[in-house]
Amino acid sequence: MTNSLKLADWQQRATALRFPTGHFIDGDHVPGGTARFTVINPATGTPLCEVAAGGAAEIDRAVASARRSFSSGVWRRMAPRDRLAILSRLAQLIAANGERLALLDSLSMGKPIRDMLNIDVPSATQCFSYFAELSDKIDGAVTATAADAFHYILREPLGVVGCIVPWNYPLLMAAWKVAPALAAGNSVVLKPAEQSPLSALLLAQLFVEAGGPPGVFNVVNGLGNAAGAALALHNDVAKIAFTGSTVIGKQMLVYAGQSNMKRVSLECGGKSPQIFLADLEDLDRAVSYAINGIFGNMGEVCNAGSRLLIDKRIAGEFVARFIEQGRNAYRAGDPLDPQTNLGPLVTAKQRARVLDYIGKGRSEGARLEFGGDAPALPGCYVNPTLFSGVNNRMTIAREEIFGPVAAAIEVDGLEEAVAIANDSIYGLAAAVWTRDLRKAHAAVRDLEAGVIWVNCFDHGDMTQPFGVYKQSGQGRDKCLESLLGYTQTKSAWIHLGPAANPP
Ligand code: ADP
C-alpha cells in the first residue's frame, strides 16, 4: 500500500489529519453533546482528541434510525445483487482510504502503522468483499411433503443488530461484525471501544459514499457502561454481536435476559496453547511462530499463543532458541515509524495490568528469561517477556494477560499436553506441531478449542469459522456460518388440498 513512506511522512500526515469525533446517525456525522471523553495517544501519553460520550439518548436515536431503515425495506428488500455491489464498493473504499484508517487506529490505540497497512486494512477489505459476495447466496429451502402441502423455509434478516467491539483491532473487529450483518440485510448500530472510536466513523461514512442508504449503518460512541449497556439493553435490538472481555461478555447475556431475550454472539478471552512435540519438523520455524504468536500486536490478541506447551525432550533447546531469536525480534518504537513492530499497550492501565501479571509470574516461581520491564519511552510500552518453568496452576498460565508475555510449560508427550491445554476456562484457539499425522489428528479431535492449527499458527482466510469453545464465548465470526447467525428462518406451511389421510 504506502509502505514506502517514512516516519517523517507519517508524522506529517498525522498532524494534517482531520477527523470527526461524534456519532454517525441516519447517514451523517452528528457532533454529539457536551459530554465528552478523552482519547489518549498511548505512544506519547498525551491527549489525541475529545470524543462525544453518547448514552441512552444517542443509542435511542441511532436504534430508531436503524429500525426505520429496516422497516422501510430500503436495504433488506433491495435486490441482493445491488447490496452486493454497494458492499463491494465499500471494500474498495476501505482499501482506497487505507492510509487514513491506519492512522486513526494507530494514533488512538498504538498499533504499528505497518501492521495496520499489512494486516488490518487488507483484512477488513477482504472481509467486506467476502460478505458482499455472499449477499445474493442466502438461500431458503423447500422440504419434502405429502401432496396436500407445500412447505418452504425463508431465511430473513433479524432487524437491528448492535455491534460492540474492542480496541485491539478496531477496524477489523468492526468489519467482522458489520459486514455479515449488512450482507444479510440487517441494519446496524456499532459501538466502538472508547480507546479507539475514530475509524468506525469513517467506515460508516464510506458505507454511505458507497451508496448505502442512510440509517442502515450507524455509529454511537461512548463508554461501555453507558452507550454499550444502553445498546445491549435496548428492546428494539434483535442481536448483540460482541467481542471483548469474558466478564463483559457474560454481562451481555444478562442484558439480553433483562431486556428482550435478544440473540447474543460472543467472542471473548483466550489462553491459547501451542503444543510443540519432540518430533516437530523444523525447530526454528516453530520457534518463530511461537514468538510471533505471542509478541505480534503487543500480545493484545484474543487468540494469542500465550501458553507454550513444549515436550521435555526439546524444551531446553526450544527455550534457548526462543531467547536467541525472540529477545530482540520486537523493537519498541513510535508506531508511526514503519520499522516499528512493537507499539505501546493501549493504555497506562493496561500496562500496569500486564506488569502486575509479570510480577505474579515472578512471585509464583516462574523463571524470567527476558523482558519483564518497560523500555525507557514515554508511552505505555512493555518489553516482550518470556517465562520458563511455568506450571499450569500459575496465574500467568490461567488468566488472559493481553500483553507480550509468553509462558513456557514443559510437558511429557501429547496426552499430557492436551490435558494441560484443556485445563483452562477458555477454548479459543490451539496449535500442535508434529510430523506424526496420527498425533496431529488426535490433537485436533481432543483439543477443546474452536480453531486448531497444525504446523502453523494464525493462518487462515475468510472461509475459516473463527470462534470459540467454553468461556471464550459462543458463535462464530468470518465464514458462512457467521452470516447465517445474522439471519432467522421462517417456515411457511401451505395447505393445498384435502389430506389423503386426515389426522
Ligand atoms: P477490555 O477490558 O479489553 O477493554 P471490554 O470487554 O471491557 O474489554 O470492552 C469491549 C467492548 O465492550 C468495548 O466497546 C467497551 O466499551 C464495551 N463495554 C465495556 N463494558 C460494557 C458494559 N458494561 N456494557 C456494554 N458494553 C461494555
Side-chain angles (χ1 to χ4, degrees):
M1 198 182 284
T2 37
N3 285 329
S4 58
L5 296 180
K6 304 268 183 298
L7 172 60
D9 305 317
W10 284 110
Q11 284 171 331
Q12 191 217 337
R13 280 166 165 73
T15 311
L17 191 67
R18 298 287 169 268
F19 49 86
T21 55
H23 315 296
F24 192 91
I25 300 177
D26 223 14
D28 220 339
H29 289 287
V30 175
T34 49
R36 321 283 292 177
F37 63 92
T38 306
V39 180
I40 306 278
N41 178 344
T44 59
T46 56
L48 176 69
C49 59
E50 302 275 312
V51 171
E58 288 75 12
I59 289 289
D60 270 347
R61 217 175 130 191
V63 172
S65 163
R67 164 51 62 184
R68 268 196 311 279
S69 73
F70 188 78
S71 300
S72 75
V74 63
W75 181 246
R76 73 178 159 128
R77 299 232 160 97
M78 182 184 276
R81 277 208 81 76
D82 294 339
R83 277 211 308 270
L84 183 158
I86 291 170
L87 292 176
S88 298
R89 270 201 298 279
L90 175 55
Q92 289 162 10
L93 286 174
I94 292 169
N97 286 270
E99 196 180 298
R100 276 170 79 202
L101 290 162
L103 273 172
L104 292 172
D105 282 354
S106 184
L107 289 170
S108 57
M109 55 67 70
K111 192 190 296 265
I113 198 82
R114 72 187 226 173
D115 289 354
M116 283 302 309
L117 296 175
N118 293 330
I119 300 169
D120 296 50
V121 171
S123 304
T125 305
Q126 258 171 38
C127 178
F128 273 97
S129 296
Y130 175 83
F131 285 113
E133 287 156 14
L134 287 178
S135 302
D136 65 348
K137 295 164 193 74
I138 304 170
D139 292 334
V142 176
T143 68
T145 49
D148 67 337
F150 178 64
H151 178 218
Y152 65 96
I153 301 169
L154 290 172
R155 200 169 265 286
E156 299 190 325
L158 300 171
V160 179
V161 172
C163 307
I164 300 182
V165 297
W167 43 261
N168 60 339
Y169 289 85
L171 174 68
L172 186 58
M173 290 304 101
W176 280 13
K177 313 292 186 199
V178 172
L182 291 177
N186 298 282
S187 294
V188 165
V189 178
L190 167 65
K191 209 297 281 173
E194 49 271 42
Q195 297 84 351
S196 55
L198 304 175
S199 58
L201 294 169
L202 179 51
L203 184 64
Q205 178 190 318
L206 295 178
F207 173 73
V208 172
E209 284 175 25
V216 172
F217 179 7
N218 306 275
V219 176
V220 175
N221 272 311
L223 304 183
N225 58 11
L231 184 60
L233 281 165
H234 206 289
N235 282 320
D236 213 6
V237 169
K239 169 170 175 164
I240 286 287
F242 171 84
T243 294
S245 62
T246 290
V247 171
I248 302 298
K250 288 183 179 181
Q251 189 59 40
M252 294 295 145
L253 297 168
V254 174
Y255 290 145
Q258 286 172 337
S259 54
N260 60 342
M261 232 189 244
K262 56 177 64 66
R263 285 153 205 248
V264 177
S265 71
L266 304 170
E267 202 257 281
C268 301
K271 197 72 200 174
S272 299
Q274 287 218 60
I275 298 173
F276 300 93
L277 296 181
D279 69 347
L280 63 77
E281 188 175 357
D282 180 342
L283 191 59
D284 277 332
R285 181 166 177 272
V287 166
S288 82
Y289 272 81
I291 292 167
N292 295 326
I294 182 62
F295 296 157
N297 207 48
M298 293 71 76
E300 295 171 327
V301 183
C302 47
N303 62 278
S306 49
R307 287 187 298 156
L308 309 175
L309 309 186
I310 312 162
D311 191 287
K312 63 180 186 185
R313 292 156 198 86
I314 57 167
E317 183 60 19
F318 189 103
V319 168
R321 292 202 201 180
F322 191 110
I323 295 168
E324 189 189 312
Q325 293 177 34
R327 186 196 288 276
N328 295 317
Y330 282 78
R331 290 300 184 95
D334 187 333
L336 295 186
D337 184 343
Q339 303 300 320
T340 296
N341 59 359
L342 189 85
L345 297 183
V346 64
T347 54
K349 188 170 155 215
Q350 183 66 9
R351 180 183 52 183
R353 194 169 165 265
V354 171
L355 290 173
D356 188 50
Y357 274 117
I358 290 171
K360 285 196 176 117
R362 283 184 155 130
S363 65
E364 291 178 20
R367 196 162 47 250
L368 180 67
E369 299 285 2
F370 64 77
D373 54 358
L377 290 168
C380 309
Y381 293 84
V382 171
N383 280 320
T385 298
L386 171 66
F387 279 107
S388 65
V390 178
N391 73 57
N392 207 47
R393 304 241 60 80
M394 292 179 182
T395 309
I396 56 168
R398 302 206 77 73
E399 296 184 16
E400 185 179 45
I401 298 175
F402 230 61
V405 182
I409 301 173
E410 268 189 39
V411 295
D412 187 5
L414 179 64
E415 207 175 314
E416 190 189 35
V418 169
I420 292 174
N422 289 343
D423 178 17
S424 169
I425 61 164
Y426 297 115
L428 209 171
V432 61
W433 294 75
T434 177
R435 251 192 295 221
D436 185 331
L437 199 56
R438 282 167 305 183
K439 286 185 179 162
H441 283 296
V444 169
R445 189 191 56 210
D446 294 339
L447 284 166
E448 296 165 353
V451 180
I452 313 281
W453 287 290
V454 178
N455 295 331
C456 65
F457 192 78
D458 224 357
H459 284 193
D461 63 18
M462 282 303 301
T463 65
Q464 178 186 39
F466 189 89
V468 284
Y469 279 32
K470 304 189 331 192
Q471 291 187 44
S472 289
Q474 48 180 264
R476 297 291 179 271
D477 285 319
K478 303 168 54 172
C479 79
L480 180 60
E481 187 184 338
S482 143
L483 178 81
L484 298 182
Y486 294 93
T487 66
Q488 56 197 338
T489 54
K490 180 186 277 174
S491 150
W493 189 279
I494 302 175
H495 178 64
L496 295 178
N501 300 304

